[in-house]
Amino acid sequence: MRLCFGSKGLRRKQHDLEANEFSSNGERLRDWRSAHSDEFFEQGSRDDKADCELCVAAVAEEGSLTLNLRLPDCLASQQGKYLVIPGIRFRYGHLWVLAALENNAESAAFRCQHGEKAARQSGLGQAVNYRFQRDDKGRRVFVTTKMVESPPVTDRSREPSAWT
């Protein structure tokens, strides 16, 4: 079984560099590496003390997020241990992300009070995953999490009987 991450097309172009408009294999390799460094994913866990070990979100007073992204050791010596990305607001689902982070804060407090075993049985906490992507539009971050169930709210003023 063969496994190729990303584009098989760029991998196949190494066999005929001139026909694929590459002057050298190094040039093709640069394109291949560029295509494979356009995104990365940080998977969260509901059992983590923070929402994700390598990417921790903090909610600012005005409701925006600040992400603290743990850098690899090879970059930490040059740029510091964390990359701080402030002022993040999501056009869609921002309130769901805030709710998930609040749920994780409650889970951490419960864990401190009652212990690890009780925290796992409580059902508190939820995974928050981060995907960082670079594309033609720039650099973006996507957050995925489970939507927390909330009870339906009925607005009696919208009932037909209230219209008359």
Side-chain angles (χ1 to χ4, degrees), residues 141-154:
V141 61
F142 298 91
V143 175
T144 55
T145 187
K146 180 180 177 186
M147 293 175 63
V148 179
E149 294 289 329
S150 60
V153 177
T154 303

Side-chain angles (χ1 to χ4, degrees), residues 108-122:
F110 188 87
R111 181 178 281 111
C112 288
Q113 264 188 331
H114 303 286
E116 188 70 34
K117 186 176 180 181
R120 286 188 182 176
Q121 294 172 348
S122 72

